[in-house]
């Protein structure tokens, strides 16, 4: 039994195997209806419980479809509608009970500590569907999307623009080490990666460049990524944060610094006209809708890896 909580918890070999399995399964089901099961139905007779403490469109839909394609079923639990670490039942007891009913749990939480605690008490695997610290499923899907467009990501240059200290940028830094790509982060000093992720990056010898000059970060990049300037439950002064991040918008000028075949990625939801202009997100280099689709394919592979 394996949990999927952070990219840094897995070896490069395991992560590569997850991506290759996703590519293979996606190819093998071409022509099938969106929710039709794969021929081998590896999750048949099994189920996943999903708990969302925060809103979600993509993670909710893509996990549900992923489970269906693996031949299983899923149930979404509203934390306000169940005994979830409050009132009469502890988090530990909820975890013990869920372990009796389902084969895997997916949790989206504002507290990474809750995720780890819940995982410790579950007797089945847990998948991180986004926490305040990381968003590993999104970054795994993004690796898949990059490789479908432009081939192996190894040795390539990815550029991250904007908030350099959020769940997405943390997982991207971890992925840069595991998949061996260069990562340029263009962000204001105030929103630079935090000490603990920088410590990990150093230990893992991540080829990381951090600059406050966004155009410099984008120069020669094979992929430009960004994210909302204010994340869900980000307890900041939104107006002041957005003002600080204004020079870190992905627009045509910034994209022109990247390589001509560079792609633009965004995990969505997007703040149109804030972190990215409409002409970029709706333009030829943008792969954002395929990123959303690939959540299904990467997560099927992650579920399979957890239960195998
Ligand atoms: N990218 C992503 O995780 O989207 P949702 O918040 O809609 O799940
Ligand atoms: N950093 C964003 C990602 C959304 C998928 C957030 O946490 O809101």
């Amino acid at each position: 039994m394996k949990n999927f909580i952070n990219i840094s918890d897995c070896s490069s070999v395991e992560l590569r195997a997850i991506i290759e399995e996703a590519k293979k399964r996606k190819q093998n089901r071409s022509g099938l209806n969106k929710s039709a099961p794969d021929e081998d139905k590896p999750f048949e007779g099994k189920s996943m419980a999903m708990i969302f403490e925060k809103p979600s469109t993509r993670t909710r839909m893509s996990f549900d479809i992923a489970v269906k394609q693996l031949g299983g079923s899923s149930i979404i639990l509203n934390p306000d509608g169940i005994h979830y670490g409050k009132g009469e039942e502890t988090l530990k007891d909820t975890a013990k009970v869920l372990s009796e009913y389902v084969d895997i749990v997916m949790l989206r939480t504002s507290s990474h500590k809750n995720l780890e605690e819940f995982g410790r008490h579950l007797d089945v695997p847990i998948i991180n569907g986004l926490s305040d610290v990381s968003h590993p499923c999104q970054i795994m899907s993004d690796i898949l999307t990059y490789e479908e467009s432009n081939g192996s990501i190894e040795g390539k240059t990815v550029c991250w623009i904007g908030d350099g200290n959020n769940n997405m940028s943390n997982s991207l830094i971890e992925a840069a080490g595991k998949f061996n790509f260069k990562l340029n982060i263009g962000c204001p000093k105030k929103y630079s990666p935090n000490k603990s992720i920088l410590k990990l990056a150093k230990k893992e010898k991540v080829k990381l460049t951090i600059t406050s000059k966004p155009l410099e970060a984008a120069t020669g990049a094979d992929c430009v990524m960004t994210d909302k300037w204010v994340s869900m439950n980000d307890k900041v002064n939104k107006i002041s944060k957005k003002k600080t991040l204004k020079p870190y918008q992905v627009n045509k000028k910034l994209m022109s610094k990247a390589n001509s075949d560079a792609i633009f990625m965004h995990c969505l939801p997007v703040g149109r006209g804030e972190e990215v202009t409409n002409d970029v997100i709706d333009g030829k280099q943008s792969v954002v809708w395929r990123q959303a689709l690939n959540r299904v394919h990467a997560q099927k592979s992650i579920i399979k890896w957890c239960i195998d």
Side-chain angles (χ1 to χ4, degrees):
M1 188 194 95
K2 289 168 274 182
N3 294 330
F4 192 76
I5 295 181
N6 287 309
I7 286 184
S8 58
D9 301 336
C10 305
S11 70
S12 303
V13 172
E14 287 172 306
L15 295 165
R16 175 48 63 192
I18 290 172
I19 296 292
E20 294 309 316
E21 160 104 13
K23 287 181 190 167
K24 199 172 75 198
R25 277 193 178 273
K26 186 176 177 185
Q27 260 168 20
N28 285 349
R29 60 173 289 109
S30 83
L32 287 183
N33 284 339
K34 291 182 176 107
S35 288
D38 291 352
E39 210 178 331
D40 59 341
K41 298 185 192 160
F43 208 53
E44 192 169 25
K46 297 191 174 177
S47 62
M48 166 183 263
M50 300 192 257
I51 306 172
F52 290 92
E53 291 178 23
K54 295 182 187 182
S56 165
T57 303
R58 281 143 287 266
T59 306
R60 188 179 296 251
M61 288 302 301
S62 58
F63 265 110
D64 183 65
I65 297 163
V67 166
K68 282 196 176 89
Q69 290 189 2
L70 292 174
S73 62
S74 71
I75 179 165
I76 294 176
L77 302 172
N78 176 351
D80 294 328
I82 60 169
H83 305 284
Y84 175 71
K86 53 181 183 246
E88 301 289 298
E89 192 166 73
T90 62
L91 213 56
K92 175 177 173 178
D93 292 346
T94 303
K96 288 286 169 208
V97 170
L98 283 184
S99 304
E100 297 294 327
Y101 294 137
V102 296
D103 302 280
I104 191 161
V105 170
M106 196 282 314
L107 176 62
R108 168 168 287 198
T109 177
S110 300
S111 160
H112 196 79
K113 284 199 181 89
N114 265 4
L115 181 80
E116 287 170 339
E117 191 193 337
F118 208 55
R120 266 196 299 278
H121 299 307
L122 280 171
D123 301 321
V124 295
I126 190 165
I127 296 179
N128 176 3
L130 181 148
S131 75
D132 49 329
V133 170
S134 56
H135 198 4
C137 293
Q138 179 70 52
I139 293 296
M140 287 298 280
S141 314
D142 293 348
I143 303 284
L144 172 63
T145 305
Y146 180 86
E147 296 203 337
E148 276 181 354
S149 306
N150 283 11
S152 172
I153 199 162
E154 191 174 338
K156 298 282 169 52
T157 302
V158 175
C159 160
W160 176 266
I161 297 289
D163 187 358
N165 185 21
N166 73 10
N167 42 18
M168 280 288 295
S169 56
N170 286 344
S171 290
L172 187 62
I173 293 171
E174 293 175 20
K178 298 291 182 183
F179 289 94
N180 204 14
F181 56 86
K182 292 182 207 129
L183 178 59
N184 296 344
I185 298 187
C187 64
K189 253 209 160 95
K190 192 167 176 195
Y191 299 110
S192 282
N194 62 61
K195 277 194 188 128
S196 77
I197 192 80
L198 286 177
K199 201 171 145 197
L200 187 129
K202 200 169 168 195
K203 191 175 138 236
E204 296 286 320
K205 298 190 173 63
V206 179
K207 297 180 189 93
L208 179 63
T209 305
I210 302 171
T211 168
S212 57
K213 297 185 176 119
L215 297 181
E216 214 172 272
T219 301
D222 299 292
C223 170
V224 176
M225 291 175 103
T226 188
D227 187 10
K228 277 236 188 235
W229 284 341
V230 180
S231 285
M232 292 181 272
N233 282 14
D234 199 352
K235 306 257 184 299
V236 287
N237 179 326
K238 289 185 185 158
I239 296 170
S240 139
K241 187 170 183 184
K242 286 184 180 184
K243 199 170 155 209
T244 310
L245 283 166
K246 217 165 174 197
Y248 297 83
Q249 182 188 62
V250 178
N251 49 33
K252 268 198 159 156
K253 185 175 174 200
L254 186 132
M255 285 305 290
S256 74
K257 298 285 173 191
N259 290 339
S260 56
D261 64 347
I263 55 172
F264 169 74
M265 285 198 185
H266 192 305
C267 63
L268 308 178
V270 60
R272 285 176 177 266
E274 293 190 339
E275 72 270 15
V276 60
T277 52
N278 282 331
D279 53 4
V280 170
I281 193 160
D282 296 328
K284 275 200 190 130
Q285 286 166 287
S286 170
V287 294
V288 297
W289 313 124
R290 196 149 46 80
Q291 275 180 270
L293 167 66
N294 277 340
R295 293 291 301 277
V296 172
H297 299 290
Q299 286 159 196
K300 282 168 73 179
S301 205
I302 291 168
I303 294 169
K304 226 184 138 270
W305 177 81
C306 286
I307 60 162
D308 270 352

